Amino acid sequence: MNTCPNCGNEVIGREGKKFCSAYCKSNYHYERNKEKENTLFKRIDKQLKTNRKLLKSFNKAGKSTIRKEKLLKEGFDPKYFTHYWKNSKGEVYLFCYEFGFLSKRDEKGIEKFILVQHQAYMN
């Protein structure tokens, strides 16, 4: 007696038949492929969550500055953000949810990120 790998019911029919119905066969393969699949959406969501986590961990005070290379080395990717905010000077802060960053060069030419946390006046 064979049992269906999808639902566990008895499989009736020809010898070697694995599934009790066409639905179970389709559902079984759909669920297996869904687990394996590394979709674009999943990759983007994972990177956004990584970016948010890093921005939060390096910005304990609400506003801070960090070398760009250090954040990139940790896995930060500035191409992934959820929205932006433009200040009165015309500078554009990119945000990953409630944590934002602005890319700047200091007087020595070193690239840095200014990290901020979203404030009510930024709406």
Side-chain angles (χ1 to χ4, degrees):
M1 177 175 113
N2 285 344
T3 57
C4 178
N6 186 60
C7 67
N9 289 338
E10 181 182 353
V11 176
I12 300 171
R14 66 171 172 77
E15 190 176 322
K17 186 175 177 184
K18 294 181 182 179
F19 300 93
C20 65
S21 68
Y23 170 80
C24 276
K25 180 179 179 181
S26 176
N27 189 58
Y28 175 82
H29 290 292
Y30 171 77
E31 291 297 328
R32 279 189 59 210
N33 289 333
K34 186 172 79 171
E35 291 170 6
K36 290 183 203 171
E37 201 172 304
N38 192 9
T39 64
L40 177 62
F41 171 78
K42 286 181 183 178
R43 287 195 312 268
I44 291 170
D45 189 51
K46 183 179 178 184
Q47 186 62 55
L48 284 171
K49 287 176 182 176
T50 298
N51 283 359
R52 182 193 177 276
K53 182 181 82 170
L54 290 169
L55 290 171
K56 182 180 180 181
S57 70
F58 285 105
N59 187 13
K60 301 284 185 198
K63 184 174 183 181
S64 61
T65 304
I66 185 171
R67 284 184 179 226
K68 185 176 182 178
E69 65 186 56
K70 184 172 183 174
L71 209 52
L72 295 177
K73 190 183 271 188
E74 294 287 330
F76 184 79
D77 189 340
K79 293 182 294 196
Y80 293 89
F81 57 92
T82 56
H83 63 287
Y84 66 91
W85 173 72
K86 193 175 189 177
N87 68 11
S88 58
K89 297 177 189 176
E91 299 170 318
V92 178
Y93 284 82
L94 304 177
F95 279 80
C96 290
Y97 306 102
E98 74 274 29
F99 297 99
F101 62 99
L102 172 67
S103 185
K104 278 206 152 184
R105 287 187 188 271
D106 68 7
E107 58 279 349
K108 296 177 185 175
I110 298 171
E111 289 189 70
K112 296 188 175 190
F113 284 131
I114 298 172
L115 309 180
V116 297
Q117 191 166 0
H118 188 271
Q119 303 296 316
Y121 67 85
M122 295 176 174
N123 289 332

